[in-house]
Amino acid sequence: MNRSTPHRLIGPVVALTVVLLASGGLSAATFTVTSSADLSDLNTTDGVCSTVTGSCTLRAAIEQANALAGADTIYENSGRHIVLGSSLNVQSEIIIDGAGSNEVTGTRIDANDGDYEAIIVNNGGQLEIRDARIMDSNRSVVRVLSGPVSFYH
């Protein structure tokens, strides 16, 4: 019996772990929405959700999450009414965790009766929405091009 067999696995396992950590393959981020404005992120390569006003909007948080590997969570804890000017594009694994789906006090993602979907889940995207209301699109509120979409109340 060769007792060195388990030691042969240590090198490849360590190498795989280093590669995954270096590539961001195990990373996940959390962002907290601090504004109901519909502004884009200033720099999607820095891992920081920040618009020209210094706030973190839902759009900016999604843009940051799309640029990162792993499942990212976006918290909207204040029950904001977020009025969109165009579709939000999901291109990675994202969880939006709202403050409830009440039509007055909960998190409301509003397409403002626009001729666009509130959210589009693109190839490579996955979306989970918890305790938030998506509303007022003249099209479907969520368009799924690829990947799973889940809603929880």
Side-chain angles (χ1 to χ4, degrees):
M1 182 158 113
N2 185 350
R3 294 180 182 234
S4 66
T5 302
H7 297 293
R8 288 184 195 167
L9 295 176
I10 291 174
V13 169
V14 169
L16 177 61
T17 303
V18 169
V19 168
L20 285 173
L21 290 173
S23 70
L26 296 178
S27 68
T30 59
F31 302 101
T32 301
V33 175
T34 60
S35 170
S36 60
D38 186 30
L39 300 172
S40 288
D41 194 78
L42 283 176
N43 180 359
T44 59
T45 63
D46 64 2
V48 177
C49 180
S50 183
T51 66
V52 67
T53 64
S55 62
C56 179
T57 65
L58 180 59
R59 183 174 304 278
I62 288 174
E63 290 168 347
Q64 278 294 329
N66 284 337
L68 299 171
D72 303 304
T73 302
I74 300 169
Y75 292 101
E76 196 300 297
N77 304 341
S78 299
R80 288 181 174 81
H81 183 193
I82 300 167
V83 179
L84 303 175
S86 62
S87 299
L88 298 169
N89 291 293
V90 172
Q91 299 169 335
S92 66
E93 189 175 347
I94 296 175
I95 299 168
I96 298 174
D97 195 346
S101 58
N102 181 286
E103 63 186 56
V104 176
T105 60
T107 299
R108 290 145 294 151
I109 302 168
D110 188 343
N112 197 27
D113 290 324
D115 193 26
Y116 51 87
E117 295 83 6
I119 301 173
I120 299 174
V121 181
N122 293 291
N123 293 334
Q126 296 181 37
L127 178 62
E128 182 176 313
I129 298 178
R130 302 175 186 160
D131 291 324
R133 175 183 292 259
I134 304 172
M135 55 196 245
D136 292 338
S137 173
N138 288 327
R139 296 187 184 187
S140 59
V141 291
V142 176
R143 181 176 178 199
V144 181
L145 300 177
S146 175
V149 175
S150 304
F151 296 90
Y152 298 96
H153 174 56

